[in-house]
Structures are given as C-alpha cells and as structure tokens.
Amino acid sequence: MSEASGPPTRTPLRIEPNDNLGELEGYHSPQVDVEVRLNTNESPYAPPAEWIGDVVAELERIDFHRYPDRHAVELRSALAELHGVTIDQVFCANGSNEVLQTLFLTYGGPGRRAAVFEPTYAMHGQIGHLTSTSVVVGERGADFLLDLTEVKRVVDAASPSLTFVCSPNNPTGRAEPRPVVDEVLDLVVSRAQGLVVVDEAYGQFSSWTALDLVADDRPLVVTRTYSKTWSMAGARLGYLVGPAEVVAALQQRVLPYHLDALKQRAGLAALRYSSQMEARVEALVAERERLARALHELPLETWPSDANFLLFRPIGRRGDEVWQALVDRSILVRNCGSWPRLEDCLRVTVGTPDEDDRFLATLTEVLA
Ligand code: PMP
C-alpha cells in the first residue's frame, strides 16, 4: 500500500450489540495516573507479607493442568465457619460484582424487576440493565438513608424479584439501622415474592452486620468482598451468605469452573490472617474519623460514614472544578457529580495517614 493512500478503510461489521447498557454507559471511575489514588475504596495497605508467601507456596502445589474444584469446597467451608453458617449457605465468585451478576442471572431477566434506592451503588442498576431486568428506582430520604414509606411504595408498585439494600451505602456512606433492614424484609415477604440483597461490601467498617439475619427460611442474602478489608481487590473474590436454596440456584447458573484454583487457595489463605485484617479495619475506622473531623473544618457539606470513604460537597464551588484541581496536584478522588442528587459531590477513600494528610493539605489549598 502506498503511503499516500492513508490508513486502510475497514468495512464495519454488520452486527449490532444489544442496547442493554441503559443510561450507564461510561459510568466507570477514570484510572488517571496520579501519586495519591483515593477514588475506588480499596485498602491503602498491601496484604500481609506472610500471605504473599502462602500464595507463592500454593502456586507450586496447584495442578494447573486440571480444572479447579468446581464447588470451591475448602474456601466455602472456611467462610461458613467464619460466619457460623453451613457450606451450602455460601456462594463464592470473582468479586462481589460477579455475585451480584449471578443473582441477576438467577432471579432477574426479562419480565422481572429489581428495586434500587438512589443514590446508591451504580452496578446494581447496571447489571440489571445488562440482564434485561427492569430496574425500578426509589428515592432515599433526605439524609440518604432508606425511607420505609418509599420502600413500601416501590415494593407495592413493582413487586421486585430483587430489592437492594446497600449497607453501608456507596457512595453516601451510612449503614442502615437493623430495624430498617428487618422492616424491608417484612415488606418484601408480605408484598412481593422476592429476595432482599444486603450489599455489605463495606460491612466490616460498620458496627453491625445483617449476616445474623440469614436463615434458610428467610429470603435475604448478604454479599461481601475481599476487595476492601482483605486488601485483595486485585484478586477479584467475593461471596454471598444466604439460604441454601438460593446458593444452589446460583451454583446452577454461574459458569462452570469460574473461580480459578489459585484464587480459591489465596482466599482460603487470607482467612488465616483475620487478626491482621481486623487491626487494619480498626486503624482505617480511626483514620476515617480523623479525616471526617478535618473535612468538617473546611467549607464543605459533609455526611457521616460507616464505610472506608467519605462524601463531601464543596460550598460555593463546582465539584468538577475542585476534582480537576486535585487531579492537577496528583490526587484522585471520585467525582460523584453525575449520580442522582449528588450534584457537585466528591467521595474520598480513606488512605494511609500520609496520603490523607496530603489530600487534606491540597484540598485546603484548592478551596482557599
Ligand atoms: N458493592 C459495592 C457497594 C461496592 O462499592 C463494590 C466495589 N466498588 C462492590 C460491590 C464490588 O466489589 P468487588 O467486585 O470488588 O467485590
């Protein structure tokens, strides 16, 4: 081809992807190259060095020419023991996002509805759209906690197969009080034949968990992740605790051998370091409170948090402008301005004390 002829022209493929993306195309958090990354709620700490040693040792033991244990028996047994449930009440997948997707593949789909209460974790709605489930949107109350009158209205109107309770809620931060979760469950049991999904991705940072509510005769599941407290976002591992009947239905729909052998061993090994994990959670909660107090001193609207992040809104300044000014100074937080009701809001993940000091000093300078 001669240089003058320019780039080759391609005949477009005559296949159209489906239009299940809904309104959420392009939602994802940009991965900008910066020195201080406080945008995706990961742990700021690497996993314990001993755990890395365990994983390296496992690498040598795994039969890589064989498929992994399809039912992840050892990992699920260990998680069952950790939470005082039975192995048939635990389902594991590649991050809690895959757990959520499998819930939609099992209980959602055309002609079925899922209820979400905005503003909340956008993937609940997005996976709903991807699986052709109708997503019915309710509003949170003024303080961003669930409003039971609104939950009742949505459950009555939509009879959802899946009702999402994100607790602590991303990106607003508060955990729902236990009586509210009890009440949502009662509403769903009495008015819809659906499942209540308590997304506890940030559950360990909160003072209570809905795990105690799980029972084989109750339509409630709790989802959890290794991405935050276990410092394993890079490994992609999450799980659900729920009625055995639900777990069996999920196992039937998820792809065979979806959970690779190394991940199963890595997840199992991590559970040996629970005390280090708990110490990190404690330190992050203390650091969150320090960060919250410091944000309180700045010209910001702020909200309390039971998670490892804080939501704030600059007073008298555009959120986009403050976000960009932070990026220009090599600090990345999450811009939540496009979320419903969160105009101009930003969300900062709790980092190490050094990262947080740098964030606070820079934010103070930007807001001055
Ligand atoms: N649920 C919530 C509320 C989240 O914020 C996240 C991560 N941002 C997830 C689930 C998914 O986590 P993962 O897939 O890493 O387990």
Side-chain angles (χ1 to χ4, degrees):
M1 193 200 308
S2 79
E3 284 201 2
S5 64
T9 50
R10 289 218 173 85
T11 317
L13 294 174
R14 291 203 302 200
I15 48 172
E16 278 292 313
N18 65 36
D19 57 3
N20 290 352
L21 280 178
E23 296 155 13
L24 290 159
E25 194 171 4
Y27 147 80
H28 301 282
S29 189
Q31 289 197 308
V32 184
D33 193 15
V34 288
E35 285 161 20
V36 181
R37 276 178 53 185
L38 301 173
N39 66 326
T40 39
N41 300 342
E42 294 132 320
S43 171
Y45 302 110
E50 302 91 318
W51 174 81
I52 305 271
D54 292 350
V55 174
V56 170
E58 292 293 353
L59 258 178
E60 298 194 344
R61 276 199 285 270
I62 289 168
D63 286 333
F64 276 106
H65 60 301
R66 299 290 184 195
Y67 281 111
D69 173 6
R70 184 166 175 178
H71 298 294
V73 169
E74 278 191 76
L75 175 60
R76 288 169 55 227
S77 308
L79 286 166
E81 198 180 322
L82 178 73
H83 293 306
V85 296
T86 54
I87 180 174
D88 58 359
Q89 294 177 315
V90 180
F91 171 76
C92 293
N94 294 287
S96 52
N97 278 339
E98 195 191 31
V99 174
L100 297 169
Q101 184 187 55
T102 313
L103 279 166
F104 272 102
L105 291 173
T106 306
Y107 296 103
R112 291 178 174 228
R113 287 157 304 281
V116 301
F117 296 89
E118 295 284 8
T120 193
Y121 182 48
M123 288 304 293
H124 297 154
Q126 181 155 5
I127 302 170
H129 293 303
L130 288 171
T131 56
S132 302
T133 312
S134 298
V135 179
V136 185
V137 178
E139 289 266 317
R140 284 173 178 268
D143 50 4
F144 296 132
L145 286 168
L146 287 182
D147 165 357
L148 287 170
T149 313
E150 174 72 347
V151 176
K152 183 164 171 289
R153 183 190 70 75
V154 170
V155 169
D156 273 346
S159 198
S161 302
L162 294 165
T163 298
F164 285 88
V165 176
C166 192
S167 177
N169 186 48
N170 180 12
T172 56
R174 295 283 296 282
E176 295 298 333
R178 180 177 176 144
V180 171
V181 178
D182 286 337
E183 193 75 27
V184 173
L185 181 63
D186 284 351
L187 282 171
V188 168
V189 168
S190 59
R191 291 158 192 273
Q193 285 188 328
L195 198 58
V196 175
V197 181
V198 185
D199 182 335
E200 286 195 356
Y202 305 95
Q204 290 98 326
F205 298 105
S206 157
S207 56
W208 86 280
T209 168
L211 280 165
D212 305 343
L213 295 176
V214 170
D216 278 344
D217 59 356
R218 225 177 256 152
L220 174 138
V221 297
V222 177
T223 61
R224 287 246 165 153
T225 179
Y226 274 69
S227 297
K228 322 289 175 185
T229 33
W230 293 100
S231 299
M232 282 173 59
R236 314 300 304 123
L237 182 59
Y239 61 97
L240 166 151
V241 180
E245 186 184 315
V246 171
V247 170
L250 299 175
Q251 295 279 20
Q252 283 169 341
R253 275 136 184 109
V254 77
L255 289 175
Y257 311 115
H258 65 130
L259 211 58
D260 70 73
L262 184 58
K263 178 175 326 201
Q264 293 186 29
R265 306 305 302 172
L268 190 61
L271 302 183
R272 291 201 276 274
Y273 302 100
S274 312
S275 55
Q276 277 101 317
M277 186 277 264
E278 279 158 19
R280 283 150 191 251
V281 170
E282 218 173 288
L284 285 169
V285 167
E287 180 62 6
R288 174 188 76 205
E289 294 309 307
R290 180 181 82 92
L291 194 54
R293 281 192 299 275
L295 290 181
H296 213 66
E297 299 300 313
L298 294 173
L300 305 167
E301 190 178 355
T302 56
W303 287 270
S305 168
D306 299 299
N308 67 336
F309 55 82
L310 289 152
L311 185 75
F312 62 94
R313 176 188 274 142
I315 294 171
R317 292 284 293 275
R318 298 311 313 264
D320 289 350
E321 185 201 323
V322 173
W323 181 83
Q324 187 61 54
L326 290 170
V327 171
D328 294 343
R329 290 159 180 79
S330 214
I331 293 176
L332 183 61
V333 297
R334 186 69 194 265
N335 187 349
C336 300
S338 61
W339 244 281
R341 287 174 57 200
L342 297 185
E343 301 77 28
D344 294 314
C345 284
L346 305 177
R347 187 196 68 197
V348 61
T349 303
V350 179
T352 61
D354 283 351
E355 288 173 326
D356 296 340
D357 282 344
R358 179 152 165 205
F359 159 73
L360 286 168
T362 310
L363 181 64
T364 306
E365 175 198 316
V366 166
L367 294 174

